Amino acid sequence: QQKVQQSPESLIVPEGGMASLNCTSSDRNVDYFWWYRQHSGKSPKMLMSIFSNGEKEEGRFTVHLNKASLHTSLHIRDSQPSDSALYLCAASGAGNYKYVFGAGTRLKVIA
Amino acid sequence: GGIITQTPKFLIGQEGQKLTLKCQQNFNHDTMYWYRQDSGKGLRLIYYSITENDLQKGDLSEGYDASREKKSSFSLTVTSAQKNEMAVFLCASNHREQNTLYFGAGTRLSVL
């Protein structure tokens, strides 16, 4: 059973719009979350990480983390067609070498 | 910078065949991983290795063996290929302080 749940499965947003992606872990031992982006035919690359409660912003990308509910979200403002990709959420616990990934959210940004 | 090299890029096998996938990294990372990705889906962990000669099972280890004889290399063996199986196998390594996985380009497996 998948311990990292992502929603929605797929998302279409207009160019310039806001995309919001969600991720929740059912494993209470999880402490850290990452967001990876995978363009079609390519390998995943780390986009952002978040380890503390609150918010972290890097350019057009913002991640939130609520450790009590083990929920993280990724928000992409001013979405561009080049943001179209599979977004994967990963989780791990402190001192744990095992990274568990969710099934991903496929984002399509249409011009 | 460094690189993770996976060989072969494409692998076509027959049902029941034993198939080996190889991964080399020059990051000097301690921990290495094998993930399976079915078309358009997420990543499922098959095996990981914390250091040379260490092996840890992931959630999808049944039907696979792994080997980590050197720090820089990690091999995965499909013990008996399943007919019509198609997936991409991704190797990754992790720098513990950076807490980031770096992935290879993948090996695409097709079984006839």
Side-chain angles (χ1 to χ4, degrees):
Chain A
Q1 186 177 353
Q2 191 65 266
K3 290 184 177 176
V4 175
Q5 300 284 345
Q6 289 188 244
S7 63
E9 282 187 22
S10 61
L11 182 61
I12 299 175
V13 300
E15 185 175 1
M18 171 77 85
S20 295
L21 292 69
N22 297 291
C23 173
T24 302
S25 173
S26 58
D27 185 347
R28 302 302 307 180
N29 294 315
V30 159
D31 279 301
Y32 308 134
F33 289 88
W34 295 259
W35 287 93
Y36 283 76
R37 181 166 71 178
Q38 185 180 25
H39 285 109
S40 184
K42 304 292 186 184
S43 55
K45 287 189 168 46
M46 203 274 285
L47 189 61
M48 291 187 74
S49 60
I50 188 160
F51 305 150
S52 305
N53 268 327
E55 177 181 300
K56 185 175 171 182
E57 183 178 331
E58 290 179 5
R60 297 184 293 110
F61 300 88
T62 303
V63 288
H64 295 266
L65 175 60
N66 180 327
K67 280 200 162 187
S69 60
L70 295 177
H71 178 261
T72 179
S73 57
L74 172 68
H75 305 272
I76 307 172
R77 63 175 172 81
D78 189 23
S79 297
Q80 302 298 307
S82 58
D83 294 327
S84 298
L86 181 67
Y87 288 79
L88 297 160
C89 174
S92 184
N96 188 340
Y97 295 88
K98 191 174 172 181
Y99 294 78
V100 179
F101 282 80
T105 291
R106 185 162 296 283
L107 173 65
K108 185 168 185 177
V109 181
I110 51 176
Chain B
I3 192 168
I4 296 180
T5 303
Q6 291 188 237
T7 54
K9 284 187 167 48
F10 299 94
L11 183 55
I12 299 175
Q14 302 287 332
E15 184 182 8
Q17 194 176 0
K18 181 190 269 192
L19 303 166
T20 298
L21 293 68
K22 294 186 182 296
C23 177
Q24 295 266 351
Q25 54 101 357
N26 63 1
F27 286 105
N28 200 35
H29 289 167
D30 289 315
T31 311
M32 296 184 74
Y33 303 79
W34 277 107
Y35 286 92
R36 172 181 166 133
Q37 185 172 34
D38 291 278
S39 181
K41 305 292 186 186
L43 310 183
R44 290 186 288 171
L45 182 62
I46 306 172
Y47 267 97
Y48 63 106
S49 168
I50 296 169
T51 188
E52 187 176 326
N53 292 320
D54 174 75
L55 289 176
Q56 306 283 338
K57 291 184 178 181
D59 298 325
L60 199 68
S61 61
E62 189 167 336
Y64 302 94
D65 286 328
S67 173
R68 181 93 183 274
E69 292 169 356
K70 291 194 300 184
K71 185 176 182 178
S72 61
S73 67
F74 193 27
S75 298
L76 181 72
T77 298
V78 180
T79 56
S80 178
Q82 300 299 304
K83 188 175 175 63
N84 296 324
E85 181 175 7
M86 286 183 64
V88 175
F89 291 82
L90 290 165
C91 176
S93 68
N94 178 38
H95 188 290
R96 195 63 188 160
E97 283 74 30
Q98 291 177 4
N99 244 320
T100 299
L101 292 179
Y102 294 86
F103 286 87
T107 292
R108 187 173 297 273
L109 171 68
S110 296
V111 181
L112 304 177

